[in-house]
Amino acid sequence: MIQNNVLLEKTLDFSVRVVRSYQYLIKEKHEDVMSRQLLRSATSIGANAREAVYGTSKQDFIAKLHIALKETSETEYWLILLQRTAYLSDRQAESLLSDCLAIKKILISTLNTCKESST
């Protein structure tokens, strides 16, 4: 189930991009507080998605994906804030936001499918 899992691949790739953005923000922009928050929330998305795959029950799976979805929303917030405060350029932020939105759509779709199959 881990191999060829689109959600896990996208979240890992996104985490790598955010880690690189964090390094840029620290070194080039000397911004520590918001970038650390971004790093935490963005990397948590993939960690929770991966935990969901190994969940002990369907309810555990759904709970972990809900946490990942919440972290996605928080990540969007930090990206928008970093963009509005000019720490990230529009191009940088929009690229990351696009990836974040794609992950959000997958999470919502997966959660909806799980809920439908439960009824």
Side-chain angles (χ1 to χ4, degrees):
M1 187 168 189
I2 294 289
Q3 293 177 333
N4 300 320
N5 184 311
V6 174
L7 177 61
L8 297 184
E9 287 298 317
K10 283 192 176 295
T11 56
L12 182 59
D13 290 344
F14 183 63
S15 291
V16 169
R17 290 191 66 209
V18 169
V19 167
R20 289 183 180 142
S21 296
Y22 170 77
Q23 292 168 334
Y24 162 78
L25 287 164
I26 293 291
K27 290 177 186 171
E28 301 297 322
K29 297 290 190 168
H30 308 287
E31 199 301 307
D32 185 50
V33 176
M34 292 181 289
S35 59
R36 188 175 303 138
Q37 290 293 112
L38 171 66
L39 181 68
R40 283 181 170 160
S41 63
T43 56
S44 181
I45 298 166
N48 279 289
R50 194 166 182 92
E51 279 189 57
V53 171
Y54 289 105
T56 56
S57 65
K58 190 172 188 176
Q59 290 77 21
D60 190 28
F61 177 79
I62 290 170
K64 292 294 183 189
L65 288 187
H66 271 293
I67 293 168
L69 184 58
K70 287 180 179 181
E71 296 293 341
T72 304
S73 178
E74 182 180 341
T75 299
E76 285 180 284
Y77 173 81
W78 293 118
L79 288 169
I80 291 166
L81 186 58
L82 285 161
Q83 179 183 24
R84 289 189 182 179
T85 55
Y87 283 106
L88 288 177
S89 70
D90 288 346
R91 190 173 139 263
Q92 290 168 317
E94 288 167 12
S95 177
L96 287 165
L97 282 164
S98 176
D99 287 353
C100 192
L101 180 60
I103 291 167
K104 185 178 184 179
K105 287 179 180 180
I106 293 169
L107 286 167
I108 290 169
S109 176
T110 304
L111 284 164
N112 286 340
T113 299
C114 287
K115 290 174 185 176
E116 288 170 5
S117 67
S118 295
T119 56

